[in-house]
Amino acid sequence: MLKRLLETGFLKAQAANPKHDQWKLAERKARILDREGIFSIAIQIKPKIELNETLLWLRKATLVMAAYDGAQDCSLQLESDVWLLWRYYDEEIGETELPQSVVSHLAIAQYLEKGFKKKVEAKRNFVMRMRT
């Protein structure tokens, strides 16, 4: 899988003999986990949230990932104030689906970074009038 992703041009090494955390996926810092039959990539995300909103953001992000079919193979990890969005890449994935999977991974990261719309404080009162 590593070779296939390198051939797509999305994944690039930052060193001659890269370690697990010396990668870039489409110009984002990335980590890889390559074990027997398991290949996952984590990309760093920087959500635009205040420190006191972290728990609320995490709840919403988890719901988004659970509801979106394209995020079923994704998970979030917080490591030393850095959020990582992991994605599992199946060895059996087809040649056309592989780039789509990478693009989906990047799109989910971008969506989560933007945050979520804030709840409207005041609701508008609508009045229904009937003519008689």
Side-chain angles (χ1 to χ4, degrees):
M1 178 58 70
L2 179 60
K3 183 180 176 184
R4 290 175 61 197
L5 278 164
L6 288 169
E7 289 171 355
T8 64
F10 283 114
L11 187 64
K12 296 177 184 170
Q14 292 182 312
N17 293 317
K19 297 179 181 176
H20 78 284
D21 61 346
Q22 295 177 318
W23 294 90
K24 281 199 171 195
L25 184 71
E27 303 308 316
R28 286 180 175 264
K29 289 184 180 180
R31 297 181 185 181
I32 62 167
L33 176 64
D34 191 7
R35 301 284 192 273
E36 296 176 23
I38 299 172
F39 189 84
S40 295
I41 300 176
I43 54 177
Q44 287 187 12
I45 62 172
K46 297 174 184 171
K48 296 176 183 169
I49 52 172
E50 298 296 324
L51 187 59
N52 61 344
E53 296 175 341
T54 303
L55 186 57
L56 179 61
W57 176 85
L58 182 59
R59 286 182 184 157
K60 289 180 178 181
T62 303
L63 288 171
V64 165
M65 289 173 38
Y68 176 56
D69 284 338
Q72 298 296 318
D73 290 331
C74 293
S75 63
L76 285 169
Q77 177 186 1
L78 178 62
E79 185 178 280
S80 303
D81 295 331
V82 174
W83 283 101
L84 299 171
L85 178 64
W86 285 92
R87 184 180 183 97
Y88 167 74
Y89 289 86
D90 190 356
E91 293 284 337
E92 303 298 319
I93 194 167
E95 292 301 319
T96 57
E97 290 87 11
L98 182 59
Q100 292 172 352
S101 187
V102 173
V103 169
S104 176
H105 190 179
L106 296 167
I108 293 165
Q110 186 178 21
Y111 182 77
L112 294 177
E113 282 180 332
K114 287 184 178 181
F116 307 98
K117 292 183 179 180
K118 296 193 179 205
K119 192 174 183 179
V120 177
E121 296 294 326
K123 292 184 179 179
R124 294 178 123 185
N125 291 329
F126 291 98
V127 178
M128 182 184 280
R129 295 184 182 146
M130 296 178 65
R131 289 182 145 176
T132 55

